[in-house]
Amino acid sequence: SYIQIIVLLLTILLTEIELHKHFDKNGNLRTGKKIVEGKMMADKIMVNQDGRKAIQKLADLRQSLKTAKMMVWQGRFMQFSEEGMEFTNCVSNVASTCPELDLVHYQEILKENGIEWTPISLHEADISQLDLQCVMALILGAVRIERFCEGVLQDFWEEGDIDLWLGRLQDLLSR
């Protein structure tokens, strides 16, 4: 009957969707390890020289952001301060300069590390064991969530989250 065929097709489709979650865009099984030029890298992701410079520039903002505001009031609305614009531009630059980090899929990266793409989950994330890719996904997620929750980036800054995340970036870069 038609109902049985529809049920069968839906079952196949749902199975395909579930299987897709376990494979990356190249068809490789996701194991929590990154594949770099055919080599498995468990805790380090190799980035190109331009990417490393972009990440270092972002991490170096940590000191200047300690005494600055991320957002300022412009009439009745908040907008990025000069330092806030520099921060968001650096984050975007890292995302575009480091294709090996696959930050286009930042929400999936966060999910694979047990972090939801919500302000509360980003704030509560234990970053002490996160790798470079996930820390960058977390920072990018925070910048992107600002589009939907105005002022949340300022909250992350005031709560010390951005300083913590940039500190983790500095730690990872110093290894």
Side-chain angles (χ1 to χ4, degrees), residues 114-149:
I115 303 168
E116 293 179 36
W117 188 52
T118 65
I120 292 173
S121 185
L122 296 179
H123 171 71
E124 293 176 347
D126 176 13
I127 63 162
S128 63
Q129 301 301 313
L130 298 182
D131 65 6
L132 178 65
Q133 181 190 37
C134 191
V135 173
M136 279 308 310
L138 190 124
I139 294 171
L140 181 61
V143 169
R144 296 275 167 88
I145 210 165
E146 175 68 27
R147 294 180 180 172
F148 305 103
C149 303

PDB file of all heavy atoms in Angstrom, residues 114-149:
ATOM      1  N   GLY A 114      29.941  18.950  22.721  1.00  0.00           N
ATOM      2  CA  GLY A 114      28.971  19.048  23.815  1.00  0.00           C
ATOM      3  C   GLY A 114      28.541  20.461  24.149  1.00  0.00           C
ATOM      4  O   GLY A 114      28.074  20.717  25.261  1.00  0.00           O
ATOM      5  N   ILE A 115      28.681  21.391  23.201  1.00  0.00           N
ATOM      6  CA  ILE A 115      28.312  22.785  23.433  1.00  0.00           C
ATOM      7  C   ILE A 115      27.185  23.154  22.474  1.00  0.00           C
ATOM      8  O   ILE A 115      27.290  22.945  21.277  1.00  0.00           O
ATOM      9  CB  ILE A 115      29.524  23.717  23.189  1.00  0.00           C
ATOM     10  CG1 ILE A 115      30.700  23.307  24.085  1.00  0.00           C
ATOM     11  CG2 ILE A 115      29.145  25.176  23.432  1.00  0.00           C
ATOM     12  CD1 ILE A 115      32.007  23.971  23.702  1.00  0.00           C
ATOM     13  N   GLU A 116      26.114  23.683  23.033  1.00  0.00           N
ATOM     14  CA  GLU A 116      25.008  24.139  22.195  1.00  0.00           C
ATOM     15  C   GLU A 116      25.281  25.572  21.761  1.00  0.00           C
ATOM     16  O   GLU A 116      25.994  26.312  22.432  1.00  0.00           O
ATOM     17  CB  GLU A 116      23.698  24.097  22.974  1.00  0.00           C
ATOM     18  CG  GLU A 116      23.242  22.704  23.327  1.00  0.00           C
ATOM     19  CD  GLU A 116      21.948  22.723  24.117  1.00  0.00           C
ATOM     20  OE1 GLU A 116      21.096  23.598  23.841  1.00  0.00           O
ATOM     21  OE2 GLU A 116      21.797  21.884  25.003  1.00  0.00           O
ATOM     22  N   TRP A 117      24.681  25.971  20.644  1.00  0.00           N
ATOM     23  CA  TRP A 117      24.857  27.332  20.142  1.00  0.00           C
ATOM     24  C   TRP A 117      23.829  28.246  20.788  1.00  0.00           C
ATOM     25  O   TRP A 117      22.907  28.737  20.180  1.00  0.00           O
ATOM     26  CB  TRP A 117      24.762  27.353  18.618  1.00  0.00           C
ATOM     27  CG  TRP A 117      25.109  28.676  18.016  1.00  0.00           C
ATOM     28  CD1 TRP A 117      26.231  29.419  18.242  1.00  0.00           C
ATOM     29  CD2 TRP A 117      24.321  29.436  17.103  1.00  0.00           C
ATOM     30  NE1 TRP A 117      26.195  30.583  17.517  1.00  0.00           N
ATOM     31  CE2 TRP A 117      25.022  30.616  16.803  1.00  0.00           C
ATOM     32  CE3 TRP A 117      23.088  29.234  16.500  1.00  0.00           C
ATOM     33  CZ2 TRP A 117      24.546  31.585  15.941  1.00  0.00           C
ATOM     34  CZ3 TRP A 117      22.611  30.199  15.625  1.00  0.00           C
ATOM     35  CH2 TRP A 117      23.331  31.353  15.349  1.00  0.00           C
ATOM     36  N   THR A 118      23.969  28.440  22.100  1.00  0.00           N
ATOM     37  CA  THR A 118      23.119  29.348  22.858  1.00  0.00           C
ATOM     38  C   THR A 118      24.027  30.181  23.756  1.00  0.00           C
ATOM     39  O   THR A 118      25.116  29.729  24.132  1.00  0.00           O
ATOM     40  CB  THR A 118      22.117  28.585  23.749  1.00  0.00           C
ATOM     41  OG1 THR A 118      22.846  27.853  24.745  1.00  0.00           O
ATOM     42  CG2 THR A 118      21.248  27.635  22.934  1.00  0.00           C
ATOM     43  N   PRO A 119      23.606  31.393  24.109  1.00  0.00           N
ATOM     44  CA  PRO A 119      24.450  32.211  24.989  1.00  0.00           C
ATOM     45  C   PRO A 119      24.815  31.512  26.295  1.00  0.00           C
ATOM     46  O   PRO A 119      25.961  31.578  26.732  1.00  0.00           O
ATOM     47  CB  PRO A 119      23.601  33.459  25.238  1.00  0.00           C
ATOM     48  CG  PRO A 119      22.716  33.562  24.038  1.00  0.00           C
ATOM     49  CD  PRO A 119      22.422  32.135  23.650  1.00  0.00           C
ATOM     50  N   ILE A 120      23.867  30.816  26.892  1.00  0.00           N
ATOM     51  CA  ILE A 120      24.136  30.153  28.176  1.00  0.00           C
ATOM     52  C   ILE A 120      25.163  29.039  28.006  1.00  0.00           C
ATOM     53  O   ILE A 120      26.115  28.924  28.781  1.00  0.00           O
ATOM     54  CB  ILE A 120      22.825  29.613  28.797  1.00  0.00           C
ATOM     55  CG1 ILE A 120      21.937  30.784  29.217  1.00  0.00           C
ATOM     56  CG2 ILE A 120      23.112  28.695  29.969  1.00  0.00           C
ATOM     57  CD1 ILE A 120      20.557  30.390  29.674  1.00  0.00           C
ATOM     58  N   SER A 121      24.999  28.222  26.978  1.00  0.00           N
ATOM     59  CA  SER A 121      25.932  27.118  26.744  1.00  0.00           C
ATOM     60  C   SER A 121      27.329  27.625  26.408  1.00  0.00           C
ATOM     61  O   SER A 121      28.326  27.076  26.890  1.00  0.00           O
ATOM     62  CB  SER A 121      25.405  26.219  25.628  1.00  0.00           C
ATOM     63  OG  SER A 121      26.233  25.093  25.469  1.00  0.00           O
ATOM     64  N   LEU A 122      27.420  28.677  25.582  1.00  0.00           N
ATOM     65  CA  LEU A 122      28.733  29.240  25.258  1.00  0.00           C
ATOM     66  C   LEU A 122      29.393  29.791  26.516  1.00  0.00           C
ATOM     67  O   LEU A 122      30.590  29.606  26.728  1.00  0.00           O
ATOM     68  CB  LEU A 122      28.603  30.345  24.206  1.00  0.00           C
ATOM     69  CG  LEU A 122      28.099  29.936  22.822  1.00  0.00           C
ATOM     70  CD1 LEU A 122      27.998  31.158  21.908  1.00  0.00           C
ATOM     71  CD2 LEU A 122      28.970  28.876  22.197  1.00  0.00           C
ATOM     72  N   HIS A 123      28.608  30.457  27.364  1.00  0.00           N
ATOM     73  CA  HIS A 123      29.136  31.028  28.613  1.00  0.00           C
ATOM     74  C   HIS A 123      29.621  29.939  29.574  1.00  0.00           C
ATOM     75  O   HIS A 123      30.654  30.082  30.218  1.00  0.00           O
ATOM     76  CB  HIS A 123      28.061  31.888  29.281  1.00  0.00           C
ATOM     77  CG  HIS A 123      28.405  32.338  30.655  1.00  0.00           C
ATOM     78  ND1 HIS A 123      29.378  33.279  30.914  1.00  0.00           N
ATOM     79  CD2 HIS A 123      27.906  31.974  31.855  1.00  0.00           C
ATOM     80  CE1 HIS A 123      29.462  33.467  32.221  1.00  0.00           C
ATOM     81  NE2 HIS A 123      28.578  32.686  32.816  1.00  0.00           N
ATOM     82  N   GLU A 124      28.882  28.846  29.646  1.00  0.00           N
ATOM     83  CA  GLU A 124      29.199  27.783  30.612  1.00  0.00           C
ATOM     84  C   GLU A 124      30.207  26.762  30.103  1.00  0.00           C
ATOM     85  O   GLU A 124      30.623  25.881  30.849  1.00  0.00           O
ATOM     86  CB  GLU A 124      27.910  27.060  31.024  1.00  0.00           C
ATOM     87  CG  GLU A 124      26.971  27.948  31.812  1.00  0.00           C
ATOM     88  CD  GLU A 124      25.656  27.276  32.148  1.00  0.00           C
ATOM     89  OE1 GLU A 124      25.340  26.207  31.572  1.00  0.00           O
ATOM     90  OE2 GLU A 124      24.928  27.825  33.001  1.00  0.00           O
ATOM     91  N   ALA A 125      30.632  26.875  28.851  1.00  0.00           N
ATOM     92  CA  ALA A 125      31.533  25.879  28.259  1.00  0.00           C
ATOM     93  C   ALA A 125      32.866  25.826  29.006  1.00  0.00           C
ATOM     94  O   ALA A 125      33.464  26.853  29.308  1.00  0.00           O
ATOM     95  CB  ALA A 125      31.774  26.211  26.790  1.00  0.00           C
ATOM     96  N   ASP A 126      33.308  24.610  29.299  1.00  0.00           N
ATOM     97  CA  ASP A 126      34.624  24.395  29.894  1.00  0.00           C
ATOM     98  C   ASP A 126      35.624  24.302  28.744  1.00  0.00           C
ATOM     99  O   ASP A 126      35.689  23.301  28.048  1.00  0.00           O
ATOM    100  CB  ASP A 126      34.629  23.105  30.712  1.00  0.00           C
ATOM    101  CG  ASP A 126      36.004  22.768  31.270  1.00  0.00           C
ATOM    102  OD1 ASP A 126      36.900  23.646  31.247  1.00  0.00           O
ATOM    103  OD2 ASP A 126      36.196  21.626  31.722  1.00  0.00           O
ATOM    104  N   ILE A 127      36.400  25.352  28.571  1.00  0.00           N
ATOM    105  CA  ILE A 127      37.297  25.410  27.419  1.00  0.00           C
ATOM    106  C   ILE A 127      38.675  24.824  27.694  1.00  0.00           C
ATOM    107  O   ILE A 127      39.507  24.760  26.797  1.00  0.00           O
ATOM    108  CB  ILE A 127      37.450  26.852  26.907  1.00  0.00           C
ATOM    109  CG1 ILE A 127      38.102  27.731  27.969  1.00  0.00           C
ATOM    110  CG2 ILE A 127      36.119  27.403  26.454  1.00  0.00           C
ATOM    111  CD1 ILE A 127      38.666  28.994  27.407  1.00  0.00           C
ATOM    112  N   SER A 128      38.905  24.378  28.893  1.00  0.00           N
ATOM    113  CA  SER A 128      40.253  23.940  29.286  1.00  0.00           C
ATOM    114  C   SER A 128      40.803  22.802  28.435  1.00  0.00           C
ATOM    115  O   SER A 128      42.018  22.688  28.285  1.00  0.00           O
ATOM    116  CB  SER A 128      40.275  23.540  30.762  1.00  0.00           C
ATOM    117  OG  SER A 128      39.427  22.429  30.980  1.00  0.00           O
ATOM    118  N   GLN A 129      39.941  21.983  27.864  1.00  0.00           N
ATOM    119  CA  GLN A 129      40.404  20.860  27.057  1.00  0.00           C
ATOM    120  C   GLN A 129      40.066  21.007  25.572  1.00  0.00           C
ATOM    121  O   GLN A 129      40.307  20.088  24.797  1.00  0.00           O
ATOM    122  CB  GLN A 129      39.808  19.547  27.591  1.00  0.00           C
ATOM    123  CG  GLN A 129      40.171  19.244  29.032  1.00  0.00           C
ATOM    124  CD  GLN A 129      41.662  19.144  29.241  1.00  0.00           C
ATOM    125  OE1 GLN A 129      42.372  18.479  28.479  1.00  0.00           O
ATOM    126  NE2 GLN A 129      42.173  19.822  30.257  1.00  0.00           N
ATOM    127  N   LEU A 130      39.505  22.151  25.189  1.00  0.00           N
ATOM    128  CA  LEU A 130      39.104  22.333  23.801  1.00  0.00           C
ATOM    129  C   LEU A 130      40.307  22.609  22.910  1.00  0.00           C
ATOM    130  O   LEU A 130      41.245  23.282  23.318  1.00  0.00           O
ATOM    131  CB  LEU A 130      38.104  23.480  23.668  1.00  0.00           C
ATOM    132  CG  LEU A 130      36.780  23.311  24.405  1.00  0.00           C
ATOM    133  CD1 LEU A 130      35.868  24.505  24.126  1.00  0.00           C
ATOM    134  CD2 LEU A 130      36.094  22.013  24.020  1.00  0.00           C
ATOM    135  N   ASP A 131      40.241  22.099  21.680  1.00  0.00           N
ATOM    136  CA  ASP A 131      41.316  22.338  20.728  1.00  0.00           C
ATOM    137  C   ASP A 131      41.094  23.674  20.015  1.00  0.00           C
ATOM    138  O   ASP A 131      40.094  24.357  20.224  1.00  0.00           O
ATOM    139  CB  ASP A 131      41.453  21.179  19.731  1.00  0.00           C
ATOM    140  CG  ASP A 131      40.240  20.998  18.823  1.00  0.00           C
ATOM    141  OD1 ASP A 131      39.311  21.838  18.857  1.00  0.00           O
ATOM    142  OD2 ASP A 131      40.218  20.017  18.068  1.00  0.00           O
ATOM    143  N   LEU A 132      42.046  24.026  19.161  1.00  0.00           N
ATOM    144  CA  LEU A 132      42.012  25.295  18.446  1.00  0.00           C
ATOM    145  C   LEU A 132      40.743  25.444  17.625  1.00  0.00           C
ATOM    146  O   LEU A 132      40.095  26.499  17.644  1.00  0.00           O
ATOM    147  CB  LEU A 132      43.252  25.398  17.535  1.00  0.00           C
ATOM    148  CG  LEU A 132      43.363  26.639  16.675  1.00  0.00           C
ATOM    149  CD1 LEU A 132      43.523  27.877  17.542  1.00  0.00           C
ATOM    150  CD2 LEU A 132      44.540  26.508  15.726  1.00  0.00           C
ATOM    151  N   GLN A 133      40.355  24.402  16.923  1.00  0.00           N
ATOM    152  CA  GLN A 133      39.170  24.464  16.082  1.00  0.00           C
ATOM    153  C   GLN A 133      37.930  24.783  16.914  1.00  0.00           C
ATOM    154  O   GLN A 133      37.120  25.634  16.539  1.00  0.00           O
ATOM    155  CB  GLN A 133      38.968  23.148  15.336  1.00  0.00           C
ATOM    156  CG  GLN A 133      37.764  23.179  14.423  1.00  0.00           C
ATOM    157  CD  GLN A 133      37.400  21.822  13.857  1.00  0.00           C
ATOM    158  OE1 GLN A 133      37.520  20.811  14.543  1.00  0.00           O
ATOM    159  NE2 GLN A 133      36.979  21.792  12.606  1.00  0.00           N
ATOM    160  N   CYS A 134      37.775  24.115  18.039  1.00  0.00           N
ATOM    161  CA  CYS A 134      36.569  24.313  18.844  1.00  0.00           C
ATOM    162  C   CYS A 134      36.570  25.681  19.531  1.00  0.00           C
ATOM    163  O   CYS A 134      35.524  26.325  19.631  1.00  0.00           O
ATOM    164  CB  CYS A 134      36.410  23.191  19.870  1.00  0.00           C
ATOM    165  SG  CYS A 134      34.777  23.239  20.642  1.00  0.00           S
ATOM    166  N   VAL A 135      37.726  26.149  19.988  1.00  0.00           N
ATOM    167  CA  VAL A 135      37.785  27.478  20.603  1.00  0.00           C
ATOM    168  C   VAL A 135      37.412  28.540  19.568  1.00  0.00           C
ATOM    169  O   VAL A 135      36.644  29.460  19.843  1.00  0.00           O
ATOM    170  CB  VAL A 135      39.175  27.766  21.214  1.00  0.00           C
ATOM    171  CG1 VAL A 135      39.278  29.210  21.690  1.00  0.00           C
ATOM    172  CG2 VAL A 135      39.456  26.817  22.366  1.00  0.00           C
ATOM    173  N   MET A 136      37.925  28.383  18.349  1.00  0.00           N
ATOM    174  CA  MET A 136      37.577  29.336  17.293  1.00  0.00           C
ATOM    175  C   MET A 136      36.097  29.214  16.922  1.00  0.00           C
ATOM    176  O   MET A 136      35.440  30.225  16.672  1.00  0.00           O
ATOM    177  CB  MET A 136      38.451  29.130  16.057  1.00  0.00           C
ATOM    178  CG  MET A 136      39.820  29.770  16.154  1.00  0.00           C
ATOM    179  SD  MET A 136      39.798  31.533  16.602  1.00  0.00           S
ATOM    180  CE  MET A 136      38.618  32.231  15.473  1.00  0.00           C
ATOM    181  N   ALA A 137      35.552  28.008  16.907  1.00  0.00           N
ATOM    182  CA  ALA A 137      34.122  27.820  16.635  1.00  0.00           C
ATOM    183  C   ALA A 137      33.285  28.495  17.721  1.00  0.00           C
ATOM    184  O   ALA A 137      32.251  29.110  17.439  1.00  0.00           O
ATOM    185  CB  ALA A 137      33.778  26.335  16.537  1.00  0.00           C
ATOM    186  N   LEU A 138      33.732  28.413  18.957  1.00  0.00           N
ATOM    187  CA  LEU A 138      33.036  29.036  20.075  1.00  0.00           C
ATOM    188  C   LEU A 138      33.052  30.559  19.926  1.00  0.00           C
ATOM    189  O   LEU A 138      32.018  31.227  20.071  1.00  0.00           O
ATOM    190  CB  LEU A 138      33.710  28.610  21.385  1.00  0.00           C
ATOM    191  CG  LEU A 138      32.972  28.984  22.640  1.00  0.00           C
ATOM    192  CD1 LEU A 138      32.720  27.718  23.449  1.00  0.00           C
ATOM    193  CD2 LEU A 138      33.805  29.918  23.464  1.00  0.00           C
ATOM    194  N   ILE A 139      34.210  31.123  19.601  1.00  0.00           N
ATOM    195  CA  ILE A 139      34.316  32.577  19.426  1.00  0.00           C
ATOM    196  C   ILE A 139      33.475  33.030  18.236  1.00  0.00           C
ATOM    197  O   ILE A 139      32.742  34.019  18.331  1.00  0.00           O
ATOM    198  CB  ILE A 139      35.798  32.996  19.271  1.00  0.00           C
ATOM    199  CG1 ILE A 139      36.561  32.735  20.581  1.00  0.00           C
ATOM    200  CG2 ILE A 139      35.907  34.457  18.857  1.00  0.00           C
ATOM    201  CD1 ILE A 139      38.068  32.901  20.471  1.00  0.00           C
ATOM    202  N   LEU A 140      33.571  32.307  17.136  1.00  0.00           N
ATOM    203  CA  LEU A 140      32.768  32.650  15.956  1.00  0.00           C
ATOM    204  C   LEU A 140      31.278  32.531  16.278  1.00  0.00           C
ATOM    205  O   LEU A 140      30.477  33.387  15.891  1.00  0.00           O
ATOM    206  CB  LEU A 140      33.134  31.753  14.776  1.00  0.00           C
ATOM    207  CG  LEU A 140      32.378  32.019  13.471  1.00  0.00           C
ATOM    208  CD1 LEU A 140      32.628  33.438  12.973  1.00  0.00           C
ATOM    209  CD2 LEU A 140      32.771  31.004  12.421  1.00  0.00           C
ATOM    210  N   GLY A 141      30.908  31.495  17.011  1.00  0.00           N
ATOM    211  CA  GLY A 141      29.512  31.325  17.417  1.00  0.00           C
ATOM    212  C   GLY A 141      29.022  32.489  18.256  1.00  0.00           C
ATOM    213  O   GLY A 141      27.885  32.944  18.104  1.00  0.00           O
ATOM    214  N   ALA A 142      29.885  32.999  19.127  1.00  0.00           N
ATOM    215  CA  ALA A 142      29.515  34.147  19.963  1.00  0.00           C
ATOM    216  C   ALA A 142      29.298  35.393  19.110  1.00  0.00           C
ATOM    217  O   ALA A 142      28.351  36.153  19.331  1.00  0.00           O
ATOM    218  CB  ALA A 142      30.602  34.401  21.007  1.00  0.00           C
ATOM    219  N   VAL A 143      30.162  35.589  18.121  1.00  0.00           N
ATOM    220  CA  VAL A 143      30.010  36.745  17.229  1.00  0.00           C
ATOM    221  C   VAL A 143      28.736  36.611  16.404  1.00  0.00           C
ATOM    222  O   VAL A 143      27.981  37.570  16.253  1.00  0.00           O
ATOM    223  CB  VAL A 143      31.259  36.898  16.324  1.00  0.00           C
ATOM    224  CG1 VAL A 143      31.012  37.924  15.223  1.00  0.00           C
ATOM    225  CG2 VAL A 143      32.475  37.295  17.155  1.00  0.00           C
ATOM    226  N   ARG A 144      28.476  35.421  15.906  1.00  0.00           N
ATOM    227  CA  ARG A 144      27.287  35.218  15.058  1.00  0.00           C
ATOM    228  C   ARG A 144      25.994  35.310  15.860  1.00  0.00           C
ATOM    229  O   ARG A 144      24.970  35.761  15.350  1.00  0.00           O
ATOM    230  CB  ARG A 144      27.369  33.858  14.359  1.00  0.00           C
ATOM    231  CG  ARG A 144      28.525  33.742  13.408  1.00  0.00           C
ATOM    232  CD  ARG A 144      28.188  34.289  12.033  1.00  0.00           C
ATOM    233  NE  ARG A 144      29.332  34.470  11.175  1.00  0.00           N
ATOM    234  CZ  ARG A 144      29.838  33.556  10.379  1.00  0.00           C
ATOM    235  NH1 ARG A 144      29.305  32.362  10.333  1.00  0.00           N
ATOM    236  NH2 ARG A 144      30.870  33.837   9.618  1.00  0.00           N
ATOM    237  N   ILE A 145      26.028  34.882  17.112  1.00  0.00           N
ATOM    238  CA  ILE A 145      24.796  34.911  17.910  1.00  0.00           C
ATOM    239  C   ILE A 145      24.393  36.355  18.236  1.00  0.00           C
ATOM    240  O   ILE A 145      23.222  36.622  18.498  1.00  0.00           O
ATOM    241  CB  ILE A 145      24.948  34.036  19.178  1.00  0.00           C
ATOM    242  CG1 ILE A 145      23.599  33.462  19.580  1.00  0.00           C
ATOM    243  CG2 ILE A 145      25.567  34.795  20.332  1.00  0.00           C
ATOM    244  CD1 ILE A 145      23.704  32.329  20.567  1.00  0.00           C
ATOM    245  N   GLU A 146      25.342  37.270  18.160  1.00  0.00           N
ATOM    246  CA  GLU A 146      25.045  38.691  18.389  1.00  0.00           C
ATOM    247  C   GLU A 146      23.980  39.197  17.416  1.00  0.00           C
ATOM    248  O   GLU A 146      23.196  40.074  17.755  1.00  0.00           O
ATOM    249  CB  GLU A 146      26.328  39.520  18.253  1.00  0.00           C
ATOM    250  CG  GLU A 146      26.142  41.016  18.341  1.00  0.00           C
ATOM    251  CD  GLU A 146      25.716  41.524  19.716  1.00  0.00           C
ATOM    252  OE1 GLU A 146      26.018  40.869  20.728  1.00  0.00           O
ATOM    253  OE2 GLU A 146      25.074  42.583  19.756  1.00  0.00           O
ATOM    254  N   ARG A 147      23.925  38.620  16.239  1.00  0.00           N
ATOM    255  CA  ARG A 147      22.931  39.033  15.240  1.00  0.00           C
ATOM    256  C   ARG A 147      21.508  38.779  15.711  1.00  0.00           C
ATOM    257  O   ARG A 147      20.578  39.451  15.302  1.00  0.00           O
ATOM    258  CB  ARG A 147      23.147  38.295  13.922  1.00  0.00           C
ATOM    259  CG  ARG A 147      24.427  38.663  13.252  1.00  0.00           C
ATOM    260  CD  ARG A 147      24.581  37.900  11.965  1.00  0.00           C
ATOM    261  NE  ARG A 147      25.821  38.252  11.310  1.00  0.00           N
ATOM    262  CZ  ARG A 147      26.286  37.645  10.265  1.00  0.00           C
ATOM    263  NH1 ARG A 147      25.619  36.632   9.730  1.00  0.00           N
ATOM    264  NH2 ARG A 147      27.421  38.024   9.721  1.00  0.00           N
ATOM    265  N   PHE A 148      21.342  37.786  16.565  1.00  0.00           N
ATOM    266  CA  PHE A 148      20.004  37.401  17.017  1.00  0.00           C
ATOM    267  C   PHE A 148      19.704  37.873  18.440  1.00  0.00           C
ATOM    268  O   PHE A 148      18.547  37.974  18.821  1.00  0.00           O
ATOM    269  CB  PHE A 148      19.846  35.879  16.939  1.00  0.00           C
ATOM    270  CG  PHE A 148      20.135  35.338  15.573  1.00  0.00           C
ATOM    271  CD1 PHE A 148      21.338  34.710  15.308  1.00  0.00           C
ATOM    272  CD2 PHE A 148      19.224  35.491  14.541  1.00  0.00           C
ATOM    273  CE1 PHE A 148      21.619  34.217  14.041  1.00  0.00           C
ATOM    274  CE2 PHE A 148      19.495  35.010  13.275  1.00  0.00           C
ATOM    275  CZ  PHE A 148      20.699  34.374  13.018  1.00  0.00           C
ATOM    276  N   CYS A 149      20.746  38.097  19.218  1.00  0.00           N
ATOM    277  CA  CYS A 149      20.591  38.519  20.613  1.00  0.00           C
ATOM    278  C   CYS A 149      21.470  39.746  20.830  1.00  0.00           C
ATOM    279  O   CYS A 149      22.610  39.636  21.299  1.00  0.00           O
ATOM    280  CB  CYS A 149      21.018  37.410  21.564  1.00  0.00           C
ATOM    281  SG  CYS A 149      20.171  35.857  21.361  1.00  0.00           S
TER     282      CYS A 149
END
